[in-house]
Amino acid sequence: MRLRALLETDALGLRLLSGEDELDRTVRGVMTTDLRDPSRYLSGGELVLTGLAWRRKPEDSERFVRILAQAGVAGLAAGEAELGAIPDDLVVACARNRLPLFAVHESVAFASITEHVVRQVSGERAGDLAAVVDRHRRLMTSGPAGGGPEVVLDLLGSDLDLRAWVLSPTGRQIAGSGLTDPGHQLPPEACAALAGEHLAATRTGRRAPFRHITGGGTYSLFPIRSGGQHPAAGGGRAAPGSRDVRETVLSDWLLAVEADAGDWPAERLDLLQGVTQLIAVERDRRDAARTVRRRLAQEVLELLHTAAPPAEVAARLRVAAPVLLPGLGSTPHWQVVVGRVEWEDGDIDSGPVTQSLLEEILVDPQAEEPEPSDRIAVAHTGDEAIALVPLPSVDTTDGTSVAGLQADELLTAVGGPLSRGLDGDGRLTLGVSAVVHSAEGLRGALEEARHARRVAAARPGRVCAAGHQELASHVLLLPFVPDDVRRAFTARLLDPLRDYDRRHRAELIPTLEAFLDCDGSWTRCATRLHLHVNTLRYRVGRIEQLTGRDLSRLEDKLDFFLALRMS
């Protein structure tokens, strides 16, 4: 289809701002992005949709437009929802680079433009993807009863004889041929191998689709990248731009097709790209549905951090329980899982990264709900993510205990694929608490999970997990230490540092906390505090001088750790 056809489609309401002489360009696909540099995901001929979140200053427009022009895109459509009128600097940059520019009114959803382009392009080539779009549109409007992304993959199988599966980065099957026909399921080891290959290929910047042979079969892997926009949103409201690939690689889905796409014509590759865009819309819908659960977890976490009375925490949990476990009672048992993704270099906010990853890791594949991740609520604070995992209440009068998550089982399920995605410069550490049955025990469960994660962080490997069984006994005994003993112990260790900080603004206490939190790693601690390693060594030396302790000794580290915990 031609750009001119889009301008003439009244339902889209596009306004041309520049590039009238270029309207005969052919549109071969569509991409929604707010990355500052989306070149690695462009193959040419796309209509690029953007919400302008990448634009922080006028000079950004020229750089962004030049990247699109060099990639050979057909045109750019900018949403008005974020900034109102399209900035003049963007109009000038598009005119200078001969790139057609359209304005998208805030009442028009990017999903509507995507559907229209995919339908028109496929209709000109094969006619089959138009049926996919129609069926997917009905799915989106009818909710979960529409069948999820399975309807898209069913049509690929029936019309194109392509067997395909949607997989999570952990290798979980989300949709596909194997979920409805046990005789054609992908074996777990194949799922893990495909997910690992997808993560490794994405990290190294290879151009999709990725080809992989496993279990005697050849598969082509197509990334499914979320546009960060719910289909009902106005044009232009999209995910923030300027994102490092490491911010999404651990949470992006993938489409695995049992075929070798190496010799496919461009038309068929475009068709599969259209399918991934449709599934990405469904992914965005599911992510939007997690908002309520994330908010519940954040509220409970804030209550725990502020030492709210157990009755107040219990009241909030009573609200959360029916949302997380509909129909299974209002007084479940609870477990806490704490996770953290760390990169050896780069200034990446790992809290949201770990939050999305935990939501994938903790999905219960045996749950009967259409979306089993409804069972968990995940919040993030700082660099760590914290999951509240409800477990149905059961009668335990026979002495049995409620079965909960086990650290070794989590590690077995996700360790292989995620290790490949983290290979080179990343680590994932997980801590799992014991099962608790009340709000009174939840604060202790959070401390258990956090300390278990520290135990995991001390182990080698890209993905490590530890459970409450591995905790040192002092963590369990802390709540029972008398208050006067706590105060005396912390005063002896921390008061000299606090006094020095007040007089000199030296930030010795924050330095000590960061040093212990980084497990004594000079490099990681200096990076976190934005200090030179020599400056960090000076501060640690001052701490040791003031307290008479040696932070190279495990016993002294433990004393400081306990003092900070009890202060």
Side-chain angles (χ1 to χ4, degrees), residues 266-338:
E267 290 78 5
R268 174 157 288 203
L269 289 173
D270 286 348
L271 187 148
L272 265 295
Q273 180 62 34
V275 170
T276 65
Q277 291 171 349
L278 294 178
I279 297 174
V281 174
E282 172 67 9
R283 169 69 188 275
D284 290 342
R285 184 188 68 80
R286 295 191 184 191
D287 283 347
R290 289 173 170 169
T291 302
V292 173
R293 299 191 295 278
R294 289 175 172 178
R295 185 167 62 248
L296 286 171
Q298 197 70 46
E299 292 173 355
V300 172
L301 185 61
E302 290 174 0
L303 290 175
L304 296 178
H305 281 165
T306 57
E312 188 175 351
V313 179
R316 199 71 196 94
L317 289 177
R318 284 195 294 272
V319 174
V323 176
L324 301 177
L325 288 173
L328 296 181
S330 59
T331 56
H333 294 73
W334 297 91
Q335 250 183 315
V336 177
V337 178
V338 174

Side-chain angles (χ1 to χ4, degrees), residues 511 522-523 531-544:
T511 300
W522 297 98
T523 302
L531 297 174
H532 192 278
V533 172
N534 289 342
T535 304
L536 176 62
R537 291 186 184 276
Y538 173 80
R539 289 188 183 181
V540 171
R542 179 64 68 182
I543 292 171
E544 293 174 335

Side-chain angles (χ1 to χ4, degrees), residues 36 52-58 60 241-242:
R36 299 184 72 183
L52 301 177
W54 49 264
R55 182 186 178 275
R56 299 175 182 175
K57 53 185 181 298
D60 292 340
S242 186

Side-chain angles (χ1 to χ4, degrees), residues 76-98:
L76 174 65
E80 297 179 325
E82 187 72 22
L83 302 179
I86 304 303
D88 290 340
D89 49 87
L90 180 60
V91 178
V92 171
C94 286
R96 182 182 297 116
N97 290 274
R98 302 182 63 84

Side-chain angles (χ1 to χ4, degrees), residues 197-236:
E197 177 66 16
H198 161 255
L199 291 172
T202 303
R203 281 295 313 277
T204 55
R206 286 164 50 192
R207 183 176 291 275
F210 315 127
R211 181 176 177 269
H212 187 65
I213 299 175
T214 183
T218 301
Y219 298 85
S220 296
L221 310 179
F222 296 81
I224 299 172
R225 297 187 172 93
S226 172
Q229 177 182 319
H230 188 278

